Amino acid sequence: MYPELQQIIDASRRIVFFGGAGVSTESGIPDFRSVDGLYNQRYAYPPETILSATFFHRYTEEFFRFYRDKMLPLDAQPNAAHRFLAQLEQAGRLMAIITQNIDGLHQKAGSKKVLELHGSIHRNRCMKCARFFPPEAIRDAQGIPRCPCGGIIKPEVVLYEEGLDDAVLAEAIHCIRQADTLIIAGTSLTVYPAAGLVHDFRGKHLILINRDATPMDSRAGLVIHDSVGKVFSTLTATPLPKGE
């Protein structure tokens, strides 16, 4: 049990959750930088190279081969962390989820206000005519997925060398500045500009939950080194009193 964390949540009215790959590892989706993570597996090219805009445009078919193999966990299901956050939002205590993940599991668990900094595998558009396609269109295609118009279907995920969506980033900053409690979980806080959002927090409680230490641990009022799902499975989302 984590009584101090539960007490903070029970006293909070405007919680914002900021999460990374560690939120989804218990759903069977590998993170990027741990011993078993995506960046430590071997391919013809390093994953950082494959997931870059330059590689996408230069070696498009190889990009999609990797993307289908490692970036489309369409059968993955929400875990205890995703479910608790959906309950916390329903209880009226959670303002928003800000996520670096692209898997859509927060929405699958029932969360409504989800700001996806790095895009989503569930949004894909033709680069020529902008027609929308579900992820199955990429999964089931042979070679390079193409629209009937002939254009390449590109996932709306942020690749290396690409900038974040300005509107999503602005809304994330706004939410963090309005929060009384910021819970950061499942992220090493080493990927910028996303990690820099922590500096916009002006509220009372900064909480860090991660298996390993992060550069921001010394700034947090509460640090828990454990898996996100394990921690959240012990918590209760108590509804706000009526009238608040």
Side-chain angles (χ1 to χ4, degrees), residues 184 205-209 214 216-224:
I184 303 171
H205 299 289
L206 177 59
I207 300 164
L208 282 173
I209 306 169
T214 78
M216 298 291 180
D217 281 11
S218 61
R219 292 192 54 187
L222 177 62
V223 177
I224 299 173

Side-chain angles (χ1 to χ4, degrees), residues 106-172:
H106 286 296
Q107 292 92 329
K108 204 169 187 178
S111 292
K112 306 300 183 187
K113 181 72 177 278
V114 183
L115 301 173
E116 297 170 309
L117 294 176
H118 295 158
S120 172
I121 61 172
H122 297 281
R123 296 190 299 273
N124 308 274
R125 292 191 184 276
C126 172
M127 296 177 70
K128 187 175 180 181
C129 73
R131 177 178 170 180
F132 176 87
F133 290 88
E136 290 80 6
I138 291 180
R139 181 195 66 188
D140 300 337
Q142 298 296 318
I144 299 173
R146 292 191 179 275
C147 174
C149 79
I152 296 172
I153 302 171
K154 183 179 184 294
E156 288 192 353
V157 300
V158 179
L159 302 176
Y160 288 104
E161 304 166 347
E162 293 180 336
L164 302 186
D165 182 281
D166 288 339
V168 174
L169 187 59
E171 180 64 12

Side-chain angles (χ1 to χ4, degrees), residues 13-193:
R13 299 295 183 270
R14 299 184 308 279
I15 299 172
V16 168
F17 178 83
F18 178 87
V23 177
S24 292
T25 52
E26 289 164 89
S27 294
I29 300 174
D31 66 5
F32 284 81
R33 289 175 173 79
S34 68
V35 173
D36 300 317
L38 206 54
Y39 284 0
N40 289 304
Q41 299 177 26
R42 293 188 176 183
Y43 296 92
Y45 301 89
E48 299 99 321
T49 300
I50 298 174
L51 296 174
S52 68
T54 297
F55 193 93
F56 172 82
H57 291 291
R58 189 173 295 172
Y59 305 105
T60 309
E61 188 166 356
E62 183 67 19
F63 169 89
F64 279 109
R65 187 177 296 118
F66 176 87
Y67 185 85
R68 285 190 194 94
D69 186 32
K70 294 298 178 183
M71 308 298 289
L72 280 176
L74 299 184
D75 295 327
Q77 297 299 317
N79 61 49
H82 301 104
R83 292 192 295 270
F84 174 73
L85 289 166
Q87 294 165 8
L88 203 59
E89 182 184 50
Q90 190 172 21
R93 295 184 184 277
L94 183 72
M95 288 175 57
I97 292 170
I98 302 167
T99 181
Q100 295 172 285
N101 296 338
I102 60 175
D103 51 46
L105 290 181
H106 286 296
Q107 292 92 329
K108 204 169 187 178
S111 292
K112 306 300 183 187
K113 181 72 177 278
V114 183
L115 301 173
E116 297 170 309
L117 294 176
H118 295 158
S120 172
I121 61 172
H122 297 281
R123 296 190 299 273
N124 308 274
R125 292 191 184 276
C126 172
M127 296 177 70
K128 187 175 180 181
C129 73
R131 177 178 170 180
F132 176 87
F133 290 88
E136 290 80 6
I138 291 180
R139 181 195 66 188
D140 300 337
Q142 298 296 318
I144 299 173
R146 292 191 179 275
C147 174
C149 79
I152 296 172
I153 302 171
K154 183 179 184 294
E156 288 192 353
V157 300
V158 179
L159 302 176
Y160 288 104
E161 304 166 347
E162 293 180 336
L164 302 186
D165 182 281
D166 288 339
V168 174
L169 187 59
E171 180 64 12
I173 292 171
H174 172 75
C175 289
I176 287 175
R177 287 178 176 173
Q178 299 299 312
D180 56 13
T181 297
L182 176 61
I183 302 174
I184 303 171
T187 173
S188 59
L189 289 175
T190 56
V191 177
Y192 283 80

